[in-house]
Amino acid sequence: MLFTDRTFFVLLAVTFALYYLRKGTVWQIGVLLVASLFFYAYSQPYLLILLSCSALLSTVTSYQVEQARSAVPRRLWATIGVVINLLVLAFFKYDRLLAATFLHAAPGHLLSTLLAIPLPIGISFYTFHGISLLIDVFRARERGEMRSPLGRERAFPDHSMRTFFYLTFFPQLIAGPIVKAKDFYPQMGSKRFADIHWYGVAKALIIGFFLKSVVADNLAQQTFVLQPPYCFSYSSLNLALVLVAYSVQIFSDFAGYSLIAIGLARLFGYVLPDNFRFPYISETFSEFWTRWHMSLSAWLRDYVYYPLGGNRKGAGRTYFNLLLVMTLGGLWHGAGWSYAIWGLWHGTALAGERMLRGTRFYSSQAAWARMLRWALVFSVVTIGWVLFKLPDFEDVRQLAATFWQNRHMRFSFSVPFLIGLYVLPVAAYHLLHLLRTNPPRCLAGLWHMAAEGALLGVMLSAIVLQAGSPTPFIYFQF
Amino acid sequence: MQRPLLPILLTAVLVFAGYAAFVQLAPFTVPTGQSQGDTNMIRAQDYLAVQDQVTTVLVGSSLTFRLPASELGPQTANLAVAGGGSLTGLQIVRDSGGRPRLVLVEVNVVSRGVDQDFVRSLLRFPERALRTRFRVFRTGYDPVNLAWRGMATLLNKADFTPVPPPDIVRQLTLVQQQDLSKNPNLALLRANLAAMARLVAQLQARGIQVGFFEMPTDPSLKDLLGEVVPRREAAALFPSDRFCWLHLEVPGGAHTLDGIHLSVEDAALVAHQIKTQASACQTSR
């Protein structure tokens, strides 16, 4: 079910009414749990089996980690939980990639049948949530903390309900944000209708739906031309503009989804972490990764980069860690070597930037240096998105060849016109953030409540007037 | 203290109402959109608005989609769906309740089934009812489509996209040759043709005549499997002794933009042939 489906709005209304009908943690979590399972199972009910098994695994193992009285069983249960979660992810997500690379299954063979199982939607997110739960509980116990991240010690049925809820909460179930167990469990409790922060809910939902329905869905109608053979008919300059548009589209699609998820969670009294903080104003690659898909960056940093030693084991090891973590992060996005190369591309950029950190280019605060740094980051990031748009290397090769071949072709004005109409609001969204956080003297005081309200009103009307044909969220495939 | 929602709602209502009033009173129509998808929807919505006055409906793929309305005449609606196939148009005619005298079905692209999302969003309540009364709910009057139309009028251009140079046309034709050299999925083809036969029978039961045609393509593609097999299967299911078949051809071979989509001149020529032969098709019964 998509957040843009009509059925979803019916489900939301019914869930909301039932949720606040009665107070009490058990009732409210129960309502959200049922709604979440219905939301997940709506199109493909059989996927519920895998989700339930995965949730049961995380429930049992995390409970055992929590209850273990000594280090050995605690470590054993944590390892079992993490390894099985990773195996589930590997089997259902990376089976085709591994089989295509290392095995050759004949049609009709059992392996071929297994490979035909479609990718369960949201698997990358709920397995990462499960791993986060296990590691958070394990670390808290290892440190001898009396208070577990799960809250006070509970009986198994109560722990089961809470863990299933954490793993399946519908706003974040399919495409995040990835919320850590230690941040989510303490929020579980009885919620009151009077405590809903309506303005915050409205703001997140309006900006989220605007980015998704108005910007991303309409840009999708323009950016399909990057795919060969459509790209053959476009001039190089047109294609470069379309690539910029894809950069904006993928941001709008995913940031839009995250904001909708955040707004929906707030409606039920839960705070999900920010996932995007104006990433396209970044002047360095490391800054970019503190602004883009922040919940995944934080997950990789806390559970992979730091355990590998982070930047504490010398320069060489730091570069290696960066390359490894980013490559793994790339592979997390999709079961294809193009995603691994995309990760490596970013890892190389991060390592290179670290190497050149002391140079004038990175230390200067002059406007020209800042502009150049911004242009470099935006260009490298945008070129990297080609591997997301075209996971087949042959398509990438053909697109690159077309850039060269069509450099003298006539420029089409329709491309910048249509793309500009959708890219401008996103550029303005980033610029407004800059103006609000660091206003020039002449504009100080311009931004106030009424201006923001009016702007949100215009965005709301645009959602009604200019929503594009709904397309699946790009990150659903991950 | 909570910040008020009133400024948001008030602004949204004012902007929407102002825009709705503007497009309702605007002295122009918007026949094409920012994308193929929008133009598909605009044409389908336009058809629903005037379906009682339409005598002939064309259904098909992007090959038929490009035929110029000026050559087809005001009583012919082009319900071909770019990126789709004939089945979508047939289902729209069936489900919309229209009763044209003749429906002409393109048989080049039969591998694509019904675009159910498209049909649903076109015909569902309350959008369909709202569109008949208020332009603001019609795709053509979306702000960007309106701006697009304004830009085209200002620059006096119907289409901003340049015609590809001959070497690109050759390259694209080669891609089509590779695609069409492969054996088509026969099971899918037959399933779609069976679905087509059911829709055709339902239209015939309502007194609507149904005819068929194959759009001309680049001569190098004519004998490739991807063209031959659908032609053969369609001819077997809809024999010419029971159904009217139009015979469309471009003297000297069709000129295309990419192997399958006709050049502007040839599209006009074929549209004219369709108009002429359609009337013969109707009188032949």
Side-chain angles (χ1 to χ4, degrees), chain A residues 6 196-199 218 221-222 229 232-233 405-406 409 412 414 417-418 422 449 453-454 457 461 465-466, chain B residues 2-5 8 11-12 15-16 19 34-35 124-125 127 136 142-144 147-148 151 160 162 168 171-172:
Chain A
R6 285 179 176 201
I196 299 173
H197 190 282
W198 285 106
Y199 190 86
N218 280 303
Q221 301 282 327
Q222 311 297 333
F232 296 165
S233 313
Q405 188 184 325
N406 291 4
M409 196 188 267
S412 164
S414 64
F417 179 74
L418 288 172
Y422 298 114
M449 265 166 52
S461 59
L465 291 168
Q466 191 58 59
Chain B
Q2 290 233 12
R3 293 169 78 172
L5 293 177
I8 301 177
T11 311
V15 170
F16 181 81
Y19 186 77
Q34 56 172 325
S35 62
R124 73 183 167 197
F125 180 83
E127 284 96 324
V136 73
D142 284 355
V144 170
W148 176 240
M151 182 85 166
F160 287 92
I168 301 292
Q171 192 183 357
L172 291 166

Side-chain angles (χ1 to χ4, degrees), chain A residues 369-387:
Chain A
R370 295 185 65 187
M371 279 300 288
L372 275 180
R373 286 200 297 266
W374 171 82
L376 176 71
V377 172
F378 185 75
S379 307
V380 169
V381 168
T382 297
I383 291 168
W385 292 133
V386 171
L387 293 162

Side-chain angles (χ1 to χ4, degrees), chain B residues 8 188 255 267:
Chain B
I8 301 177
L188 177 70
H255 302 91

Side-chain angles (χ1 to χ4, degrees), chain A residues 346-389:
Chain A
H346 274 276
T348 309
L350 283 167
E353 180 178 280
R354 204 175 177 84
M355 233 177 266
L356 301 170
R357 214 166 31 177
T359 60
R360 192 176 161 216
F361 179 70
Y362 278 104
S363 56
S364 172
Q365 286 306 307
W368 66 266
R370 295 185 65 187
M371 279 300 288
L372 275 180
R373 286 200 297 266
W374 171 82
L376 176 71
V377 172
F378 185 75
S379 307
V380 169
V381 168
T382 297
I383 291 168
W385 292 133
V386 171
L387 293 162
F388 261 61
K389 181 69 182 166

